[in-house]
Amino acid sequence: MSGWPEDIEHKARALIAAFSERRLMVATAESCTGGLIVGALTEVSGSSSVVDRGFVTYSNDAKIQMLGVDPATLAAHGAVSRQTAVEMARGALSHSQADIAVAVTGIAGPSGGTDEKAVGLVHLAAASRGGSVLHREMRYGDIGRDAVRLATVRTALDMLEDAAEGRTAISGIP
């Protein structure tokens, strides 16, 4: 890989190997990372046997049109919320052949933050065809746009590993 921090490169290689061994396919639904997660995965040779597709849904319209996020969810909770992240992950599954999907939505900064939703707030969700859902709310803080985005990639890769292993899965998230 070129240009990726060593830990992300290592994790992506390990995930591709593990998903390949288990014959699992993955999809990503990305907002604040703009495709970095699927980019890290597809840097690995052989990733085409594991990565089904990546959705970059930066705008609310894209989330609605490409992933089926309910406009009422966006109106009630906003784009940066647990509810939206979960709907994004489920939408990525329903619009792909993937077994597991990971979704991220957040505020990378330096602008866009509010008192309620500060710069560095990111919601991540992983969903599996079996119906389990994992959610994490991360508050990275105002550490810089690049740092927030790379930290989000790291967390998303960890969540894909957890989802594949069936660890810390939460089912029944509305």
Side-chain angles (χ1 to χ4, degrees):
M1 272 186 202
S2 61
W4 290 102
E6 188 176 324
D7 64 317
I8 290 176
E9 180 180 338
H10 176 75
K11 177 64 79 172
R13 286 187 189 283
L15 278 172
I16 294 300
F19 275 56
S20 181
E21 183 178 306
R22 292 182 180 97
R23 292 185 162 86
L24 294 173
M25 295 290 288
V26 65
T28 66
E30 302 181 59
S31 188
C32 63
T33 50
L36 291 175
I37 299 163
V38 77
L41 293 170
T42 58
E43 280 288 326
V44 178
S45 179
S47 61
S48 61
S49 68
V50 170
V51 178
D52 181 58
R53 66 193 74 192
F55 299 91
V56 177
T57 56
Y58 215 68
S59 71
N60 286 349
D61 284 343
K63 289 173 182 65
I64 293 164
Q65 293 166 10
M66 295 173 70
L67 299 172
V69 172
D70 189 337
T73 299
L74 293 166
H77 304 285
V80 181
S81 65
R82 173 184 61 86
Q83 294 85 350
T84 297
V86 168
E87 286 191 26
M88 288 172 65
R90 288 180 173 155
L93 281 180
S94 69
H95 291 88
S96 74
Q97 301 301 311
D99 301 292
I100 296 172
V102 66
V104 300
T105 183
I107 305 165
S111 61
T114 66
D115 288 341
E116 289 181 359
K117 296 182 180 183
V119 168
L121 172 65
V122 179
H123 285 272
L124 302 95
S128 70
R129 290 264 176 217
S132 66
V133 177
L134 171 63
H135 167 261
R136 290 191 186 150
E137 177 181 313
M138 304 302 292
R139 294 181 182 269
Y140 300 113
D142 192 359
I143 58 175
R145 185 174 183 82
D146 289 345
V148 168
R149 288 164 45 110
L150 286 175
T152 302
V153 170
R154 287 179 177 98
T155 303
L157 295 178
D158 287 343
M159 289 179 72
L160 283 172
E161 181 181 37
D162 289 345
E165 296 288 334
R167 293 190 298 245
T168 63
I170 304 166
S171 55
I173 290 180

